[in-house]
Every structure is written in C-alpha cells, then in structure tokens.
C-alpha cells in the first residue's frame, strides 16, 4: 500500500508541473494554444503573472454588433499600427503675418475610421487686442471632419501677438479613437427664453 501511494503522489507532482500545448510541441506556459479558441467561464491565475523581459503583450478587443470585429494589438508585430486610443501631438507654426491664426490644418487622419478629440492645447505667445482693455482673449480651437480627414482650426479671433513678438506656435494634443470601439453623439438644444434646460432624452445610459 505504501508503494502505491508513493507512485500516485509522484505522478501527481509530474502532472502539476507539466506544460500542455495544443497544436504546438513547445508549450511556453501551463497551457499554450496555437490556433483559434473558444472558452467560457475563464478563471485567471492569481496573482497575475508578470511578463518576462523578452515577452510582449497582445491587447484583444471585440467590437459590438454589427461589426463584431476582433482586433489584436501588439507593438512588436506592427510598431506603427494604431491602438484603440492614441495620443497625437501637432506643433504648428503660424503665418508670420498673422502670428496666431491656423485657418485649416489637415491632419490626414481618416475621419471615417477614427474619432478625434482635442484634449489640450498651448500657445507660445501672449495676445492682445487694440480695442477695449477689458476684453479677455478666448481661443477658438476646433477639430472637424471634412473631405474624409480630420482638420484643425486654431485662432485668438480679434486678438494677436504684438508685432514685435516672434511668430506663435500652437501645440495641439489629440486623442484619436478607433471608431470600431467608440461612438460619438450629437444633440442640438434650444433653451428659448430660459437659462436652464435638459436633454430631451439620455444620449447614453
């Protein structure tokens, strides 16, 4: 009886330490699958195992219907491929004769595939107006889709840097979302004679 128990314990130890491969003869983890897989009720190992120095991540996202698209992102596979959310920065030097006006800048970002939001901005020069002193400069900054790409506009309308100042440079930071995983909603409201109001219906809930 003692011998049988020892054999069972030994086999159990071998099984616990084994690595299983499906469609591969060289499994890298406890379970390595080379091919498609369908699973439900998946339980992740706790604590989550950290990637090794020579390992990289793969980020998998499934978009909702009707696309039902599964996309895998891995910088080691395609270093210049876009991620679901991207941060893009443009530094735009203005026309020396105006110093602060960007009437239209074509980012060349596909407006049918991506959604662009200006997250922050900066301008290198102070601006002023030559009318009443109490006016406060307010930048007009827009990202808009036109002709299949995203365009940018930036200006201190009615204001400009002093003629003695260098030409201004805009820094525009954009958040660029893959439209497969993002939605944009538009609503037009009229407050009429009131200063308060509410949406007719929730856009998202």
């Amino acid at each position: 009886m003692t011998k049988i128990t020892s054999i069972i314990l030994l086999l159990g130890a071998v099984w616990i330490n084994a690595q299983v491969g499906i469609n591969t003869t060289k499994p890298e983890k406890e379970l390595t699958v080379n091919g498609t897989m369908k699973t439900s009720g998946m339980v992740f190992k706790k604590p989550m195992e950290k990637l090794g120095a020579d390992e990289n991540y793969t980020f998998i996202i499934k978009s909702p219907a009707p696309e039902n698209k599964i996309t895998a992102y891995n910088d080691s596979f395609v270093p210049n491929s876009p991620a679901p959310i991207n941060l893009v920065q443009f530094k735009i030097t203005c026309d020396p004769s105006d110093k602060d006006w960007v009437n239209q800048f074509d980012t060349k970002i596909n407006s049918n595939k991506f959604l662009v939001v200006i997250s922050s901005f900066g301008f290198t020069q102070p601006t002023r107006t030559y009318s009443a002193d109490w006016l406060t400069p307010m930048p007009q900054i827009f990202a808009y889709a036109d002709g299949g790409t995203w365009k940018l506009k930036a200006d201190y309308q009615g204001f400009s840097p002093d003629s003695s100042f260098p030409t201004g440079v805009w820094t525009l930071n954009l958040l660029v979302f893959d439209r497969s995983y993002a939605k944009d909603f538009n609503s037009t409201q009229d407050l009429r004679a009131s200063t308060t109001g509410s949406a007719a219906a929730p856009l998202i809930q």
Side-chain angles (χ1 to χ4, degrees), residues 39-198:
T39 183
S40 61
M42 181 180 291
V43 178
F44 291 96
K45 183 178 179 180
K46 294 182 179 180
M48 293 291 288
E49 184 177 353
K50 295 182 179 180
L51 293 176
D54 58 343
E55 295 179 312
N56 207 327
Y57 71 92
T58 298
F59 187 30
I60 299 177
I61 294 181
K62 179 183 180 297
S63 63
E67 291 87 357
N68 288 322
K69 181 175 70 173
I70 295 179
T71 306
Y73 295 93
N74 189 313
D75 282 345
S76 66
F77 297 158
V78 187
N80 295 323
S81 64
I85 303 175
N86 307 269
L87 178 61
V88 178
Q89 183 183 89
F90 286 102
K91 288 184 178 292
I92 307 172
T93 302
C94 300
D95 180 354
S97 64
D98 187 85
K99 297 184 183 295
D100 76 313
W101 187 25
V102 178
N103 185 39
Q104 184 185 90
F105 179 83
D106 190 350
T107 66
K108 301 296 185 181
I109 297 174
N110 189 331
S111 59
N112 296 313
K113 185 177 180 181
F114 297 102
L115 177 65
V116 168
V117 176
I118 298 178
S119 61
S120 61
F121 71 93
F123 188 66
T124 58
Q125 301 298 336
T127 59
R128 59 168 297 176
T129 181
Y130 293 93
S131 58
D133 293 335
W134 50 266
L135 293 176
T136 301
M138 294 295 294
Q140 295 190 3
I141 304 173
F142 304 97
Y144 61 97
D146 181 60
T149 61
W150 282 96
K151 310 294 195 302
L152 302 177
K153 176 182 174 68
D155 183 33
Y156 281 100
Q157 188 170 358
F159 296 79
S160 65
D162 189 84
S163 59
S164 62
F165 291 166
T167 300
V169 179
W170 287 97
T171 298
L172 302 177
N173 296 310
L174 314 180
L175 287 175
V176 183
F177 300 86
D178 190 326
R179 284 190 181 273
S180 298
Y181 316 107
K183 295 181 179 180
D184 59 320
F185 301 89
N186 297 286
S187 175
T188 301
Q189 303 291 328
D190 186 355
L191 296 182
R192 302 185 184 278
S194 176
T195 58
T196 61
S198 64

Side-chain angles (χ1 to χ4, degrees), residues 185 201-205:
F185 301 89
L203 295 177
I204 56 175
Q205 59 181 346

